[in-house]
Amino acid sequence: MNRLLLTAAISIPALGAAGAASALASTPVSAGHHARSVLTITVTDSSGKSKAYRLTCDRDGGNHPNATAACDALRSVNGQISKLSRPDAICTREYSPTKVSVKGTWRGANVSFSGSYPNSCLARAAVGAVYPERPR
C-alpha cells in the first residue's frame, strides 16, 4: 500500500507538468506577435559630444523621449530606417554637422544605420521620429 501511494504521489505532479508543457507547446502564437526590438540610437553633435538612447519596440519603451512615435514610424517601414526620410521638411542652411547611428535588432533582424547631416534639422528629416527629441 505504501509503495502504491508513493508511486501515485510521484506520478500525479509529473502528469500535471507534462500537461502544462503540452498546453504551452500547443498554444498558437498570435499572427501579430513579433520578437522584441531593441535599438541604440546615438546622436553626435558638431562639438563631437554624443548621446545614446535605448529604444525598445513591440512593448514600446526605453529612454527614447518619444518611444511610441519612434516605434510606430519603424513599424510603418518594417524597421528600414532609410525609408523614413521626409523630403518635405523645411530646414535652414546652417552648418552644424550631426551624426545619427542606429544599431541593434528589429524583430530579430540585425539593424545598422548611420548618417551624417549638415545640421540636426536635416538629421530629423532623414530619420523622422527615430531622432530623439521631446514630443511637441
Side-chain angles (χ1 to χ4, degrees), residues 42-68:
T42 305
V43 176
T44 306
D45 66 17
S46 60
S47 70
K49 182 175 151 188
S50 294
K51 181 147 186 186
Y53 300 84
R54 185 169 190 258
L55 175 66
T56 60
C57 297
D58 298 324
R59 191 165 237 185
D60 303 352
N63 69 343
H64 190 286
N66 201 0
T68 300

Side-chain angles (χ1 to χ4, degrees), residues 24-115:
L24 287 175
S26 65
T27 303
V29 176
S30 68
H33 180 74
H34 298 282
R36 191 168 185 185
S37 301
V38 180
L39 301 168
T40 299
I41 301 154
T42 305
V43 176
T44 306
D45 66 17
S46 60
S47 70
K49 182 175 151 188
S50 294
K51 181 147 186 186
Y53 300 84
R54 185 169 190 258
L55 175 66
T56 60
C57 297
D58 298 324
R59 191 165 237 185
D60 303 352
N63 69 343
H64 190 286
N66 201 0
T68 300
C71 291
D72 286 346
L74 286 165
R75 283 188 280 267
S76 75
V77 295
N78 196 27
Q80 297 178 37
I81 297 165
S82 60
K83 291 188 175 182
L84 290 172
S85 180
R86 288 184 17 225
D88 61 339
I90 299 172
C91 296
T92 63
R93 290 182 172 221
E94 85 181 91
Y95 186 71
S96 182
T98 302
K99 294 179 184 177
V100 177
S101 71
V102 182
K103 293 186 186 302
T105 58
W106 176 258
R107 297 181 171 173
N110 288 331
V111 171
S112 182
F113 171 89
S114 104

Side-chain angles (χ1 to χ4, degrees), residues 1-28:
M1 178 76 165
N2 284 342
R3 193 179 289 166
L4 180 61
L5 288 176
L6 181 59
T7 303
I10 294 170
S11 299
I12 290 173
L15 283 174
S22 172
L24 287 175
S26 65
T27 303

